[in-house]
Amino acid sequence: MSFTLVSCDWKPSLQVSTAVVTPGLIETIANSLTQTAEATLTSPALDSKPSLDPAAVVTLSPTVQTTFIPSATPTPPGPCNSAAAGRPIDVTIPDDTVIPAGSSFTKVWRLINTGTCPWTTDFAVVWFSGDKLGPVVAQSLSHRVESGQSIDIAVDLTAPEDTGLKQSYWKLRNAEAKLFGIGPASNAPFWVKIIVEETTTAIPTALPEPTPTPTLLVQGAVDLSSGESIDLDTGEKVPAGQGDFHLETISSRFVLQPESNAILGIAGNSIPSQGDCQSVDQGSDAVVIADLPLGTYFCYHTKHGLPGIARLADLNAAGIRLDFNTWAIP
């Protein structure tokens, strides 16, 4: 076996290439980078983020529905201070009792406490309007009266020296000096009505068996315009056809027309008693108010058959005013 030696003299060589950069190449590279950045900013990954635009409308679907059931409205309590006429209200000195001029007498009213508060001895019966019958204008209650109880209130009075019909109106006064009375609104006064005559005949100050008199149901005054009706059982205005009397205008003249089976009659210019009203012709015919002077009295029966009297207190272009008393049947 033979070997041949070969001599190698190898050296690596390094070659460097030189690139030439021109302005056109720089512009091409810049455009490529700009297109890459725009593509990145408008990619679906960025567009999928929620919008923070304040004008965007967001609808929330409630998952729980709450139903509110209103509770029952409690019945409001009645008035604290309220009164009603007893049976009878005139324990002594019924209406139209004849009293000698200058004579002393004792008037006794029977009243019922229909309010929610008791009447104490700080309460009083006080003169309200009308004729003053002697020096007494206020008198404290004699004892405490609970709700639902009645009391007989006695006041010593004196007939005046001048003769004729005298009527004095009274109310109750509570401990705060506020006045109240009887009737549906607890504001109607009660009264004593006497006929003063020049006579020396003495009358007792108390009657052991008083003559029953009708109990006052409602008393007041009402202004009626054409087309309005009044319910004299309650003293309130009501829709046409539901009251006792309806004011109409016929040929520019006011006419008072009974309705709902109520009846009406003219009693004259003097206040009538219930006995006087029994002789007054009452019916369902309309009464022409324009033909009557102020102060004219009427007798009536309401649609429920309750007796009463009314007075034409005013007449003007707007309508009429009636003062009225309606009594309950004893």
Side-chain angles (χ1 to χ4, degrees):
M1 178 181 294
S2 63
F3 296 89
T4 302
L5 296 177
V6 178
S7 176
C8 296
D9 187 11
W10 176 83
K11 294 182 181 180
S13 63
L14 179 61
Q15 295 181 351
V16 178
S17 299
T18 301
V20 178
V21 179
T22 66
L25 179 60
I26 294 176
E27 181 179 356
T28 300
I29 295 174
N31 290 336
S32 177
L33 291 176
T34 299
Q35 292 173 359
T36 302
E38 289 178 351
T40 302
L41 292 176
T42 57
S43 66
L46 292 178
D47 289 344
S48 63
K49 292 183 181 181
S51 174
L52 297 182
D53 184 0
V57 178
V58 179
T59 302
L60 300 179
S61 299
T63 59
V64 178
Q65 294 183 349
T66 303
T67 302
F68 294 95
I69 302 176
S71 59
T73 303
T75 302
C80 175
N81 296 319
S82 177
R87 292 186 177 270
I89 186 174
D90 296 313
V91 179
T92 65
I93 317 298
D95 287 352
D96 302 322
T97 298
V98 177
I99 307 288
S103 298
S104 298
F105 62 97
T106 301
K107 173 66 182 182
V108 181
W109 293 286
R110 180 169 296 161
L111 299 177
I112 303 172
N113 181 355
T114 56
T116 59
C117 300
W119 301 346
T120 67
T121 53
D122 292 329
F123 283 54
V125 58
V126 297
W127 175 77
F128 176 67
S129 64
D131 296 298
K132 283 188 177 180
L133 303 179
V136 178
V137 294
Q139 182 171 299
S140 299
L141 300 189
S142 59
H143 61 273
R144 181 183 178 94
V145 184
E146 299 294 339
S147 178
Q149 294 181 345
S150 65
I151 182 175
D152 288 355
I153 303 175
V155 180
D156 293 329
L157 302 173
T158 303
E161 294 296 335
D162 56 318
T163 60
L165 180 67
K166 306 297 177 183
Q167 190 162 0
S168 181
Y169 296 91
W170 295 68
K171 283 189 176 185
L172 293 172
R173 184 180 66 197
N174 66 13
E176 288 75 35
K178 295 181 179 180
L179 299 181
F180 65 98
I182 59 178
S186 301
N187 62 355
F190 42 94
W191 63 81
V192 53
K193 185 172 70 170
I194 61 174
I195 298 175
V196 180
E197 292 186 353
E198 293 182 358
T199 176
T200 58
T201 302
I203 65 168
T205 58
L207 300 177
E209 295 181 0
T211 302
T213 58
T215 301
L216 179 68
L217 176 66
V218 61
Q219 179 188 58
V222 61
D223 292 313
L224 287 179
S225 300
S226 182
E228 293 183 329
S229 293
I230 176 70
D231 184 343
L232 293 176
D233 293 303
T234 63
E236 299 177 345
K237 292 183 182 181
V238 294
Q242 300 181 18
D244 296 300
F245 302 107
H246 180 74
L247 188 67
E248 299 178 359
T249 302
I250 300 178
S251 299
S252 301
R253 305 169 77 190
F254 288 125
V255 173
L256 193 60
Q257 174 67 61
E259 59 184 10
S260 306
N261 297 320
I263 55 176
L264 177 69
I266 301 174
N269 57 4
S270 298
I271 183 170
S273 65
Q274 282 206 306
D276 296 332
C277 283
Q278 292 178 0
S279 60
V280 173
D281 184 19
Q282 302 178 47
S284 59
D285 293 336
V287 174
V288 181
I289 300 298
D291 296 339
L292 302 175
L294 293 181
T296 297
Y297 285 92
F298 305 93
C299 294
Y300 63 81
H301 281 76
T302 70
K303 59 181 178 292
H304 295 299
L306 300 183
I309 61 173
R311 174 177 173 269
L312 181 60
D314 191 20
L315 172 62
N316 53 59
I320 67 172
R321 170 173 290 181
L322 290 177
D323 298 328
F324 60 88
N325 294 336
T326 302
W327 291 279
I329 298 176

